[in-house]
Amino acid sequence: MSNRSNSTGSSSKSQTAVELPISKETRVLNLKTGTSILFSKDPSDREVKWLGIEDDVIWLKDTASGATEVWVGDAAEREKRSYCAGKIASYAFHLKLKRLFNEHDDIAIAVACPTTSTGGMYTLKQGEDVVAEDEVTNAIWYTTLRKKPVTEDGTEARYIISPTKWANALRGTGLESPMPSPLGSMHDFDISSSGIVFLSKDTTGGSPNFPSINVYYIPLKTFTEVSRPRPQIIRVKDYEGRSSHPVFSPNGGSVAFLKKQHPIDQNDRNRIIVINRIRDFRAYVTVDDMPTQQSEKSWHLSPFTFSWSDNGTELYVVAVDHGIRRLFKIPAALSSIKKEPEPITSESNTPADVRHLRMVFSAPMEARP
């Protein structure tokens, strides 16, 4: 999937600036042929992702009332088969999906939504007064998609939002995720068959100038749990700096993220942290820094983003080396690294961000074992 937008306008001392509407397209790219087809040019369609079943995709659609609809359709033949799978009573963003492979073949779905101080979804309705900013925060909401028959003979089935509706993962915790801009991003949380990991400011530590940002883990199996598990903070021994970019491995058994060692040193490097057997996680975690054969124990570069390989055995890491963004491949078992990683991209052909690779890695999801 790719998004493309264009806008034009002109201004000078003798002219009035004219702002024209922004046009936006979502296209389906065939990586083998290099050709693409138009999927949507509706500006209300957002965040189109592969659902993982044949050519099905899922996306968010804005409504005039401020709510968000969840739509499912065929990537190649949207007009022939597309439908609304459910509705979210707020503006939703940062759509995340994970196939659970349970008896119903449910798909876990999570989004971020503006949330009131009482833990409900916030939508500004017509005629209502605006709620004070300190009464609205971001929170992660989750539920499942389940395929159900829509015809009497059962020949046609559609994915429908679970009747258990949406659950606020952060209700009553005092935590906020995704964090407000400029700190927040789409990489502030991730989901898997093991639950949810997310970034949030530590309400008990840090300072206004150097807030402590940590990774938290919420264990989930069905994403329909009646009682919501409390988030567990992932603390790493001897590492007190900011955490960033938490991502589950493809099978959900491990979590990788970036973390600084020093809480206030702005020049400190990011380190890659991998937590294995995340379901067994307890309290503090002791990790080994990435060993090399260099005089310096740690890798001298500072990664700023990464992605898991399809099989979960390697990490593709982007780091700046001598002013150039380069892509590296390292084993996910960090203790097995015996020498300093070498780049796998040249100076003339370096991706701006590993998210370009994630687009390929994530489409479509794995098949049922």
Side-chain angles (χ1 to χ4, degrees), residues 158-178:
R158 293 181 175 182
Y159 278 99
I160 306 295
I161 293 293
S162 170
T164 56
K165 300 182 180 179
W166 295 88
N168 180 355
L170 307 185
R171 182 188 291 271
T173 65
L175 300 172
E176 180 175 14
S177 186

Side-chain angles (χ1 to χ4, degrees), residues 244-272:
S244 60
H245 203 88
V247 184
F248 277 107
S249 61
N251 67 5
S254 302
V255 171
F257 57 96
L258 303 176
K259 192 167 183 65
K260 295 180 183 292
Q261 189 168 21
H262 301 288
I264 61 175
D265 185 356
Q266 296 281 23
N267 296 318
D268 187 27
R269 298 186 306 276
N270 280 323
R271 276 77 166 182
I272 299 174

Side-chain angles (χ1 to χ4, degrees), residues 112-247:
C113 291
T115 304
T116 66
S117 57
T118 59
M121 286 187 179
Y122 170 69
T123 301
L124 182 62
K125 298 180 180 179
Q126 190 173 9
E128 285 187 340
D129 293 330
V130 177
V131 176
E133 285 189 17
D134 58 356
E135 294 183 20
V136 178
T137 59
N138 291 329
I140 301 166
W141 293 75
Y142 65 87
T143 185
T144 59
L145 287 167
R146 179 171 295 180
K147 209 164 193 179
K148 295 185 177 181
V150 294
T151 56
E152 292 184 2
D153 58 2
T155 56
E156 183 182 358
R158 293 181 175 182
Y159 278 99
I160 306 295
I161 293 293
S162 170
T164 56
K165 300 182 180 179
W166 295 88
N168 180 355
L170 307 185
R171 182 188 291 271
T173 65
L175 300 172
E176 180 175 14
S177 186
M179 294 175 291
S181 296
L183 295 176
S185 77
M186 193 167 185
H187 297 297
D188 274 10
F189 74 97
D190 195 21
I191 70 173
S192 80
S193 55
S194 296
I196 301 173
V197 288
F198 64 94
L199 293 177
S200 184
K201 290 182 182 180
D202 186 349
T203 56
T204 63
S207 66
N209 293 330
F210 299 98
S212 179
I213 298 175
N214 292 303
V215 177
Y216 293 79
Y217 168 56
I218 301 176
L220 294 170
K221 290 183 178 180
T222 67
F223 281 74
T224 58
E225 282 83 349
V226 176
S227 60
R228 301 180 184 90
R230 296 281 297 183
Q232 307 173 38
I233 188 171
I234 299 180
R235 298 191 186 276
V236 180
K237 187 177 180 181
D238 299 327
Y239 287 77
E240 302 297 333
R242 286 189 176 189
S243 300
S244 60
H245 203 88
V247 184

